[in-house]
Amino acid sequence: FHNPGAYDTDGDSLVFKMFTPKRNRTDFVFGYRSPETYGGFIEGSTTAPAIFKIDSRTGDLTWNAPPKAGIYNVAFVVEEYRNGIYIGQTVRDMQIVVEDCNNKRPSVNPPDICVIADDDNATTSNIIQQTITATDPDVVPLDRILLTSDKGQQVYNFPQKAIFNDASGFSPVSSTFTWDTRGVHVQRAPYIVVFKAKDLPIAPRAFSLADVQSMFITVKGTPVRNVAAVPAGKSVTLTWDNYKTLLPTFTNTQFGRMRYEVWRKEGCGGTIGCLQTPADVGYQKIDTTNINVNTFTDNSKLRVGLTYSYVIIVKYPEPRGGESQASIAVCVSLPIETPVITKVSVKSTNTTATNGEVEVTFLRPKPTFTLPAFNAQFAAPYKYELYRAQGLSSNAYTLVQTFNDATGSQTSFSFTDTGLDTKTNPYLYKVAWYTGAGQAKMLDSDSSSTVRLKATPALNSIILEWESNTAWSNQNFTHQIFRGEEGQPKSAYIKIDEILVGKQRYIDNGTFGGICLDPLKVYGYYVQTKGSYSNPTNIPEPQPDLLRNESQQAYASPLDKTPPSAPLLKIDSTICPNKPDCGTAILPITPQNRLVWQSTKSGNVCQDFIATYRLYFKAAGKSEFVLITPPTFPQPYTDTTYIHTNLPEIRPNVRSQAGCYYVTALDQQGNESAPSNEVCNDNCPYFQLPNTFTPNGDGINETFRACPTPQFVEKVTFSVYNRWGTLVYKSDADIEVNWQGKNNQGQDLPPTAYFYEAKVEFVTINEAKRVQTFKGWVNLMR
């Protein structure tokens, strides 16, 4: 273990990477091998490989199982980045000496820390006091440990020094790391403090070992204080204390380069941890403001009846960057001074462009609220106008229905909007409100849309995504997924799942009922969303239950491009008999290859479905595999055993078993798996010649021929030489040779000893044995 203790005085981010050592300024070491290539296994294991790596974030260099003692050289580069932009680098190389020893290294495990810093000397919340402990596993004899630290070299540039006293003693050994953090220490990148535990062994353990570990310290600024929120109509005004009062040591120039960020979320937010950002818990940044302005008015996309949370953070100046801890969240609810839409649900998805239907309901304004524009005109009769626009966001509204309430006693209103193309379009609705005999126009309701569902074909699945633009919130509620088939009404659909919505997305991969989606079918879906106004006390009576709305029906078929897993193939290998002598009969071998395979499982029931198999064969001497099982699909060959009898002919009635096979699996869409393992079988080649023959016309032993019959021989080139090395006969016309003791002119050769050479080409998959040369001598006797 080693850490270079790298740091950057500007607080920039550092990235560590391995680097090939150089032999001079421009050239890398020729033929350099990283220690990683030496392999090896962790002690006590034959399967866990050795690790040689550098941690890109901490710089910890680890080689946990060097397999061989020796001297090694490695190099690494430290790259510097600011806001994701590369600035520069430093390269360092080092020597590692590996020795044989029986010692076990000690260990130290410092925790990561987040601290909130300020300039208040009267508080201790910004002071880090962390106990660091090192232990050693060797107990017989007991080793001493030396615990040290670089104390985070970054902090050496500030007056507030880190304190850590080296400690020594028998295991365990502890010491306290202390650092009084201030506002000037805030930065984007965490501080890295390196701790080293080194043992001081005694005999028989001769060599010291060490553990080096890094502690990350994230320093955030003190939070903005006393954030307050005041609602007004459809806007919220925020105020907070001047941040400059918390940082008296900052100059006006430093302070002027800082910025406030305003973050908002629906609902009341909880505590944001020191290591968290507002985005981690669902907030969205809505604006950035000047550091000298301590107020902000949010009038963007706020909806009545909802509760909102706000937090403020301070972004510190570059190049160090960083930010403050988020302020305490402040919650605010907007009063409901308008009609309230409670339902915009697709009642029917059109089969033609004009027969879709949407059901809309809304509630009257709450009669007990106080209107900013309240006057004597606020009295019955009331009039409500329902407007519709096409799309999820639009200002092109059309009046579709008017509701008159002469007495002001009607609390809810419902309307079915017909003649719509709900299959193609979402629709957006709002309600206008008029009061009194003069019909004074009051505030319009917030708009709300239908739920728009999109079904997208995917591999062995269908992806469902839906969106809406509603006055209420559908987030963090359980939404239900319904599925049917093309042509079925909604009433025939069945619920296949329900999900707690964070992101409105669902993947149907056939898990419902354990039945895979059929790529030959068109599936229909609709989603029932659930939502609520987060400020229910301001909802007009009667208060609605969870707001349930249905999307239109959307259709798709799954794609099936994922093949099954490759099968596992085996072959019954031929057992070759012992080589016989001349005159001994050769036991016949049945010319066939028997193959057996089994499917392998991926764990996905849909992907594991197999409709057919295909078996491929490559004969000895051939370069390509050919399909040997029935190729027609979907007429499957589903057996998992195959006896290959139609083997290649070497010559009439002689077939070769030599060749290799692989098998693939196909699903019902014809997706073919990767090839299985390759298995091979070989022939039992045989060739032998005698050492005498008598071509004297008595009909016995008249020719010099192979005995017994050659097996799996494709060609023989036979040459005969006299005692002076002169070629007297040559032929490649007969694999059994059948030399009659004549030269190539047909003349009888005199009886004597001759030397022969037979170059035999066998039919075999073993390339090293495909061509063999047999040499010997033969007595020609007459």
Side-chain angles (χ1 to χ4, degrees), residues 536-663:
T537 58
N538 285 339
I539 298 295
E541 299 291 347
Q543 291 190 13
D545 192 4
L546 287 178
L547 308 181
R548 293 174 171 83
N549 290 277
E550 295 179 359
S551 72
Q552 92 289 3
Q553 291 159 274
Y555 303 93
S557 297
L559 299 176
D560 186 4
K561 294 183 179 180
T562 304
S565 301
L568 182 64
L569 180 62
K570 296 181 180 180
I571 189 171
D572 290 347
S573 300
T574 301
I575 300 176
C576 296
N578 294 329
K579 292 183 178 180
D581 295 327
C582 285
T584 302
I586 297 179
L587 296 176
I589 296 176
T590 303
Q592 66 180 29
N593 286 324
R594 183 177 182 272
L595 298 117
V596 179
W597 60 90
Q598 63 185 42
S599 62
T600 56
K601 304 297 183 181
S602 68
N604 184 324
V605 65
C606 301
Q607 182 180 342
D608 291 337
F609 178 81
I610 296 174
T612 187
Y613 295 97
R614 288 180 178 173
L615 187 65
Y616 294 84
F617 173 66
K618 180 176 70 174
K622 301 296 182 179
S623 60
E624 296 183 356
F625 283 88
V626 296
L627 180 67
I628 59 173
T629 52
T632 304
F633 188 87
Q635 297 177 2
Y637 184 84
T638 56
D639 197 0
T640 56
T641 301
Y642 186 84
I643 298 177
H644 190 191
T645 56
N646 188 27
L647 296 163
E649 281 192 336
I650 302 175
R651 55 183 183 276
N653 299 322
V654 178
R655 296 185 179 273
S656 168
Q657 293 176 273
C660 296
Y661 300 83
Y662 71 80
V663 65

Side-chain angles (χ1 to χ4, degrees), residues 727-741:
L727 178 67
V728 296
Y729 178 79
K730 185 175 183 179
S731 174
D732 59 4
D734 194 339
I735 66 167
E736 294 188 1
V737 177
N738 287 315
W739 178 44
Q740 297 179 352

Side-chain angles (χ1 to χ4, degrees), residues 389-447:
Q390 185 174 300
L392 293 172
S393 178
S394 175
N395 290 318
Y397 283 96
T398 300
L399 177 64
V400 294
Q401 185 69 10
T402 299
F403 304 86
N404 292 297
D405 180 13
T407 63
S409 60
Q410 188 172 349
T411 59
S412 64
F413 303 82
S414 181
F415 175 73
T416 299
D417 195 7
T418 60
L420 303 176
D421 184 1
T422 51
K423 184 175 182 179
T424 305
N425 303 314
Y427 292 95
L428 187 68
Y429 294 85
K430 71 174 182 178
V431 179
W433 176 37
Y434 302 85
T435 69
Q439 294 294 280
K441 190 175 189 307
M442 311 305 284
L443 289 174
D444 291 346
S445 74
D446 288 328
S447 57

Side-chain angles (χ1 to χ4, degrees), residues 57 67 88 128 141 160 196 382 400-401 546 583 632 674:
R57 185 165 174 253
I128 298 173
Q160 296 79 19
K196 180 178 181 179
Y382 297 154
V400 294
Q401 185 69 10
L546 287 178
T632 304

Side-chain angles (χ1 to χ4, degrees), residues 225-236:
R225 297 177 185 175
N226 296 321
V227 180
V230 177
K234 291 187 178 182
S235 67
V236 172

